[in-house]
Amino acid sequence: METNEYMEIFLDESNEHLQSINDNLLELEKQPDNLDLVDEIFRSAHTLKGMAATMEFDDIASLTHKMENVLDKIRKSELAVSEQVIDILVEALEDLEEMVSAINSGEDGSKDVSGLVQQLEQIENGTGTSSGGRNKQETTIMNELALDDYQLTVAHQAAEQGYSTFQITVKLVDGCMLKAARVYMVFEVLEKLGEVIKSVPTVEELEAEAFEQSFSIVLLSNESAESIKSRIHTVSEIDDVTIVAFDAGNEAPEEEQAEEKSQHKSPQPESDKSVSEQEKASGKKSKHASSKTIRVSSDRIDHLMNLFEELVLDRGRLEDISSQLKNQELTDTIEHIARVSQDMQRVILTMRMVPVEQVFNRFPRMVRGLAKDLHKKIDLNIVGAETELDRTVIDEIGDPLVHLIRNSVDHGIESPEERLANGKPEVGNLTLRSYHSGNHVFIEIEDDGEGINREKVANKAIENGLLSADHSQSLKDEDVYQFIFASGFSTAKSVSDISGRGVGLDAVRMKIEALGGDINVESEPGKGSKFSIQLPLTLSILNTLLVHVQDEIYGIPLSSVIETVLLEEKEIMHVQRQKVMDFRGKVVPLVSLQDVFNVQESDVENKNNYQPVVIIKKADKMTGLMVDSFIGKKEVVLKSLGNYLKNVYAISGATILGNGQVSLIIDPNELIK
């Protein structure tokens, strides 16, 4: 079979299924009893196996087949989801991703997966996990440990008073001669720690040594499981002790069960029943409903976008001609073209924009793995994953984010012991946040770790010859922190395979600047650090507010504009020689665009008694831009200024207006401090 023509489809669909497995595995770790998640993972693994077998990628097919077997056991409740099971499935997922990535690079996708296959077989056969398997013997013990009404009432009352209920299974060593004596000693230990409310076998049978090597107990205690386990092990001839939390809450007393049964036996209206069944059926059906999609090359969309930009320029020219000719029929036709082109613009832009979630999705598993390797406890919060960004930027931003997150996990967030000693919760917080502002998307990586040591960074910069000792004293903290992005700069005492070589942040800055973005860092010792990445949306068409500054016309992106106001002279105040205004109770700094861009005075005298001001925002900060007059809203095509003018302060590009005049487009984020 000739498979090359299907390779692109195979890679696209494989990546989608691997992402689905990744998301559902992480969720399954939090909800180990959710069999719907297991079903989803099973379906993805099954589809991946089928595709790989068809394409003759045997190692992928072999690994997914073993994953299927383990997942099938979980689906049938023959195997419980444990940390060990999740770890091995995650490891298998990483190997699958590596093989698919190799195929994408033109390799054959083969890899030695025999070790993982063996581990999955051990789990499947019940020899690879001791904590999660629900074999028949354990199920029998659990059934025998079912509490009666009195014992349940005691357990519930104890829980209300803060006691925990434990199921303890004690196994004596083979050849133990005085089993009853060991049982007595175990009971004596346990009665000092709490109250034994149930044993299997019964106490009489235990005294008569009518059991094999193990027995189980239900204990009420306010001691920890580890403490109880260690106390039991003080008794000699104990081979193994297993302690698990006993959920008495699920075991309702018989009276309550009877009441529930009577409620369940109440005849359900046929209509309600049918509705609920329909909802259940339709819910399941909608969950797996496939959307109608086709895959289109991004090059074709780029070409379509370029053609549309030319169309928008011509539309602006036509609007200008129409306003001069005053021809109603021409005006109506141009308005119709404007409506149609706006719809076209929305569709084309939507095709290019993808949620930043596509990059963020890989980080929960990465942080989980790093935290385990470093013996840290980290809670990752993702905010604004739905924020959309141009596809080309999405493809490039992944690696810089990986570097920053690895640095935060390795150097930022402290170990649980250090955090507790510093009066912090033992679980560190790492937040990945994304949001739109103006023509940019901001991505922030914020942790509540130990922060950046200003003195260490300054000393290292002096040692590397990047800074003089005198100059270091006058620099602001944020200026000193910028040295961590210098090539080969690292204050880490040791180099690990995670970070510390001083090559990561340098590469991060170069990549972000190559994308036309910027990166800044804020930090507070003992409280954490925040890296802010500013990226261009690369939206080539945007809505602007056109304003006059003397004889020049500037465009301000409407997405940054809050309001326009006309100020009287007396309403302009001064704070430390800075012009400010009162905007709804807040003091907002005023910036003159004429001063910022050094615009020459016009020959025409401005007799306006009011100062036009455009209020713009960036996150929670605001600034008032002083202009000479407002022109109005205009949809424009943003054109790059080219390599020679790419670093013009506070200018993101230019556009050609309908009358042929060039208008510069302001970057509001540069003007808000």
Side-chain angles (χ1 to χ4, degrees):
M1 174 183 173
E2 183 56 56
T3 57
N4 287 337
E5 59 184 301
Y6 302 110
M7 186 61 75
E8 194 173 339
I9 297 173
F10 167 78
L11 290 170
D12 285 343
E13 295 194 1
S14 295
N15 285 323
E16 287 175 8
H17 285 295
L18 290 173
Q19 187 60 54
S20 173
I21 293 173
N22 174 70
D23 296 344
N24 288 312
L25 266 181
L26 293 173
E27 200 58 35
L28 184 64
E29 189 172 30
K30 299 173 189 170
Q31 305 173 52
D33 296 325
N34 190 337
L35 293 182
D36 287 342
L37 293 172
V38 180
D39 284 338
E40 290 291 338
I41 300 168
F42 182 89
R43 271 191 285 272
S44 292
H46 181 74
T47 307
L48 194 55
K49 182 185 78 171
M51 292 192 305
T54 306
M55 300 293 287
E56 300 177 355
F57 296 124
D58 296 336
D59 289 332
I60 294 179
S62 169
L63 192 53
T64 46
H65 176 67
K66 291 300 174 188
M67 288 175 70
E68 258 190 304
N69 291 348
V70 170
L71 293 164
D72 194 42
K73 284 233 167 192
I74 298 173
R75 292 200 306 175
K76 293 175 180 174
S77 298
E78 294 173 3
L79 180 71
V81 176
S82 65
E83 186 179 353
Q84 183 190 4
V85 171
I86 294 287
D87 282 347
I88 293 177
L89 289 174
V90 166
E91 204 175 328
L93 174 63
E94 287 170 352
D95 274 18
L96 289 173
E97 287 177 338
E98 193 178 324
M99 286 188 277
V100 170
S101 175
I103 294 168
N104 193 30
S105 303
E107 299 174 25
D108 60 3
S110 61
K111 182 178 173 67
D112 181 9
V113 294
S114 56
L116 263 177
V117 166
Q118 188 179 2
Q119 289 184 64
L120 288 166
E121 282 176 347
Q122 287 174 349
I123 291 177
E124 180 190 348
N125 299 327
T127 56
T129 173
S130 59
S131 58
R134 287 179 189 163
N135 55 34
K136 290 183 180 177
Q137 185 181 355
E138 287 175 333
T139 306
T140 305
I141 289 174
M142 288 184 72
N143 289 337
E144 289 177 354
L145 281 173
L147 303 184
D148 60 27
D149 287 356
Y150 173 74
Q151 291 162 341
L152 280 173
T153 303
V154 172
H156 288 152
Q157 290 176 349
E160 290 171 3
Q161 295 172 17
Y163 285 79
S164 302
T165 306
F166 296 106
Q167 177 188 323
I168 303 170
T169 301
V170 180
K171 184 183 178 188
L172 304 178
V173 297
D174 292 337
C176 178
M177 299 300 291
L178 298 171
K179 292 194 292 185
R182 301 304 170 205
V183 171
Y184 171 81
M185 293 170 74
V186 169
F187 269 68
E188 191 177 45
V189 166
L190 293 178
E191 282 170 359
K192 290 177 182 174
L193 300 174
E195 183 179 351
V196 176
I197 61 172
K198 175 93 175 180
S199 71
V200 176
T202 63
V203 174
E204 290 77 13
E205 289 170 330
L206 290 170
E207 287 176 350
E209 297 190 352
F211 67 101
E212 295 295 330
Q213 295 303 118
S214 61
F215 58 97
S216 294
I217 296 156
V218 176
L219 175 74
L220 306 176
S221 175
N222 54 11
E223 295 282 338
S224 68
E226 279 302 314
S227 172
I228 296 169
K229 191 172 185 176
S230 64
R231 297 286 290 274
I232 295 174
H233 272 296
T234 60
V235 178
S236 60
E237 295 191 278
I238 299 295
D239 185 22
D240 186 39
V241 178
T242 305
I243 302 181
V244 295
F246 188 91
D247 189 5
N250 294 332
E251 301 282 338
E254 196 170 323
E255 289 180 8
E256 293 177 21
Q257 289 181 8
E259 189 177 343
E260 286 179 9
K261 285 178 182 174
S262 66
Q263 290 175 354
H264 291 160
K265 286 180 181 176
S266 301
Q268 184 181 8
E270 193 61 32
S271 57
D272 290 352
K273 185 179 176 184
S274 60
V275 168
S276 64
E277 286 175 355
Q278 286 171 6
E279 285 176 349
K280 190 175 178 181
S282 63
K284 200 160 187 174
K285 189 175 179 181
S286 62
K287 193 172 181 180
H288 304 298
S290 59
S291 58
K292 294 178 179 176
T293 59
I294 58 171
R295 297 176 192 277
V296 179
S297 164
S298 58
D299 291 340
R300 290 188 182 183
I301 297 176
D302 288 342
H303 184 55
L304 181 62
M305 191 69 193
N306 290 334
L307 292 175
F308 183 71
E309 288 175 4
E310 297 301 320
L311 183 66
V312 171
L313 287 175
D314 289 341
R315 188 188 71 195
R317 180 66 181 149
L318 280 174
E319 285 171 345
D320 223 44
I321 294 171
S322 171
S323 64
Q324 294 171 16
L325 296 178
K326 307 290 184 187
N327 184 309
Q328 188 57 43
E329 198 172 347
L330 178 60
T331 304
D332 292 344
T333 304
I334 292 172
E335 285 179 356
H336 179 71
I337 292 174
R339 286 195 295 273
V340 173
S341 62
Q342 282 173 356
D343 288 344
M344 283 179 65
Q345 175 192 332
R346 188 171 58 252
V347 172
I348 295 172
L349 290 181
T350 304
M351 285 194 288
R352 280 205 58 85
M353 302 294 280
V354 292
V356 75
E357 178 185 29
Q358 291 194 9
V359 181
F360 286 6
N361 276 341
R362 71 171 84 167
F363 297 129
R365 198 177 85 225
M366 189 185 88
V367 171
R368 174 187 181 274
L370 290 173
K372 284 174 80 78
D373 291 345
L374 296 167
H375 307 293
K376 293 183 178 180
K377 294 183 178 178
I378 299 173
D379 189 8
L380 175 65
N381 301 303
I382 293 179
V383 181
E386 70 283 356
T387 306
E388 291 189 329
L389 195 55
D390 192 278
R391 178 66 195 229
T392 52
V393 181
I394 289 279
D395 291 342
E396 298 293 329
I397 195 61
D399 288 343
L401 291 179
V402 167
H403 278 294
L404 292 172
I405 291 173
R406 289 168 75 93
N407 267 283
S408 287
V409 172
D410 194 14
H411 300 307
I413 296 177
E414 312 94 327
S415 67
E417 297 78 16
E418 289 172 324
R419 293 181 64 85
L420 289 172
N422 293 330
K424 293 180 175 179
E426 64 174 344
V427 180
N429 278 308
L430 181 61
T431 302
L432 192 55
R433 186 183 299 108
S434 176
Y435 59 89
H436 277 143
S437 180
N439 295 331
H440 293 85
V441 164
F442 286 81
I443 297 177
E444 296 176 348
I445 300 98
E446 185 173 8
D447 66 65
D448 65 347
E450 60 183 337
I452 300 172
N453 189 317
R454 184 192 192 281
E455 192 178 352
K456 269 189 181 178
V457 175
N459 290 339
K460 192 70 180 179
I462 294 169
E463 182 184 324
N464 290 357
L466 301 171
L467 182 66
S468 68
D470 294 340
H471 191 202
S472 71
Q473 299 299 322
S474 60
L475 283 180
K476 295 178 182 176
D477 288 351
E478 50 265 38
D479 295 330
V480 173
Y481 298 149
Q482 287 296 319
F483 286 110
I484 64 176
F485 297 108
S487 178
F489 194 96
S490 176
T491 60
K493 293 176 183 174
S494 60
V495 173
S496 68
D497 58 349
I498 295 173
S499 59
R501 294 186 185 277
V503 295
L505 290 179
D506 175 35
V508 166
R509 187 182 64 174
M510 289 175 64
K511 172 66 80 174
I512 289 171
E513 287 181 349
L515 290 170
D518 193 14
I519 182 168
N520 288 294
V521 58
E522 300 170 31
S523 184
E524 192 172 349
K527 294 192 175 177
S529 306
K530 181 168 76 176
F531 290 84
S532 298
I533 300 172
Q534 177 183 331
L535 292 165
L537 264 178
T538 66
L539 283 178
S540 53
I541 298 177
L542 68 159
N543 283 315
T544 60
L545 172 66
L546 295 182
V547 296
H548 267 302
V549 179
Q550 298 300 320
D551 289 337
E552 296 183 6
I553 296 176
Y554 289 87
I556 304 172
L558 271 182
S559 55
S560 294
V561 176
I562 299 177
E563 198 169 313
T564 57
V565 295
L566 293 173
L567 289 182
E568 292 185 50
E569 189 65 31
K570 64 181 180 182
E571 292 177 301
I572 299 176
M573 299 169 283
H574 290 80
V575 175
Q576 295 180 342
R577 298 183 181 179
Q578 164 71 51
K579 287 183 178 178
V580 298
M581 62 175 283
D582 180 0
F583 182 68
R584 294 174 185 164
K586 290 185 177 178
V587 177
V588 174
L590 292 171
V591 174
S592 167
L593 288 188
Q594 184 181 355
D595 293 342
V596 170
F597 299 122
N598 197 21
V599 182
Q600 289 185 347
E601 288 281 348
S602 168
D603 296 333
V604 180
E605 186 180 354
N606 187 357
K607 296 181 179 179
N608 196 345
N609 295 324
Y610 293 91
Q611 172 62 58
V613 174
V614 182
I615 309 293
I616 58 172
K617 66 172 181 178
K618 173 188 173 185
D620 57 347
K621 298 177 181 175
M622 291 188 290
T623 293
L625 301 182
M626 298 165 67
V627 300
D628 291 327
S629 65
F630 307 127
I631 299 175
K633 175 186 165 187
K634 185 76 175 177
E635 193 175 71
V636 300
V637 177
L638 180 66
K639 293 288 187 183
S640 167
L641 293 178
N643 290 333
Y644 291 111
L645 298 173
K646 65 180 180 181
N647 291 323
V648 177
Y649 174 68
I651 294 295
S652 58
T655 190
I656 302 170
L657 300 176
N659 59 4
Q661 185 177 351
V662 174
S663 168
L664 295 174
I665 307 300
I666 290 171
D667 179 3
N669 297 306
E670 294 278 352
L671 299 172
I672 302 175
K673 301 295 181 186

